[in-house]
Amino acid sequence: MTEKTPWNTALNMLARREYSQAELRTRLRERFPEQAEAVESALLRLIDTGLQNDERFAEAFLRSQINRSRGPVRVMHEARQKGVADQVGPLLDDWDIDWFQLALEAARRKLGSSDPSDLKIKARIARFLAYRGFTGDQVRYTLDTLQHEHRDDRLS
């Protein structure tokens, strides 16, 4: 069995999924509180060898958040928690993400066959989108679009 060191632990963690440098540092310090120098040394070695890379993590993180229909507010909040806000911020600007469309698709899935003109349903969708991290403009656009689509469906 391999010896439990910050380096081996970090390798095992990275074998399962990507981690930001800040996440790795936090977890390794929790597991090895008396070995701060060994933790920092392991982190530097991981970065130098390319096994840990915050830019790569940020891209994977952002892709994952978009696939989970998360809005820009929540994405940045979670990026700050993971210590990669500086990497994710520019990606939000560089990537051509249609947040309005993403909010609309998430709301359509949540809505199902419910009537979007019902005030309780409308409030539920608005809360859902706000929790997902969409802006007020994106929520209003989505609710208006859903209501127009529903009205058009009833007329045809």
Side-chain angles (χ1 to χ4, degrees):
M1 190 168 140
T2 59
E3 183 184 349
K4 291 235 185 275
T5 65
W7 171 255
N8 288 336
T9 301
L11 283 178
N12 286 332
M13 290 170 65
L14 287 169
R16 287 190 275 291
R17 74 166 177 92
E18 290 274 354
Y19 283 87
S20 70
Q21 182 180 340
E23 283 180 305
L24 272 177
R25 178 175 286 112
T26 300
R27 290 187 178 211
L28 291 174
R29 283 184 177 171
E30 286 171 359
R31 291 185 189 175
F32 303 97
E34 324 76 37
Q35 298 182 39
E37 282 184 35
V39 166
E40 289 307 313
S41 172
L43 284 171
L44 287 174
R45 190 170 155 201
L46 289 166
I47 293 164
D48 288 345
T49 57
L51 294 172
Q52 193 288 318
N53 180 298
D54 274 352
E55 285 80 20
R56 186 176 62 225
F57 174 83
E59 287 182 13
F61 168 77
L62 181 54
R63 235 184 326 279
S64 161
Q65 295 298 298
I66 291 168
N67 289 339
R68 296 163 91 186
S69 300
R70 301 268 172 82
V73 176
R74 177 124 179 231
V75 168
M76 281 308 296
H77 174 74
E78 292 193 15
R80 276 190 293 280
Q81 287 183 321
K82 293 184 178 297
V84 291
D86 292 345
Q87 288 80 15
V88 171
L91 291 177
L92 288 178
D93 297 333
D94 294 347
W95 291 14
D96 190 22
I97 305 164
D98 187 345
W99 297 108
F100 290 91
Q101 188 61 36
L102 194 61
L104 185 57
E105 289 167 7
R108 281 182 182 140
R109 281 193 304 275
K110 181 75 172 171
L111 183 63
S113 61
S114 301
D115 178 359
S117 60
D118 180 306
L119 289 179
K120 284 184 179 176
I121 303 285
K122 211 173 183 176
R124 191 180 87 208
I125 295 296
R127 280 191 309 273
F128 168 76
L129 291 173
Y131 172 76
R132 285 288 179 104
F134 291 99
T135 65
D137 286 344
Q138 293 157 354
V139 171
R140 278 187 293 283
Y141 166 82
T142 299
L143 293 174
D144 290 347
T145 302
L146 289 172
Q147 197 154 358
H148 288 299
E149 289 173 354
H150 183 72
R151 191 176 311 125
D152 291 347
D153 286 348
R154 283 195 335 226
L155 294 176
S156 51

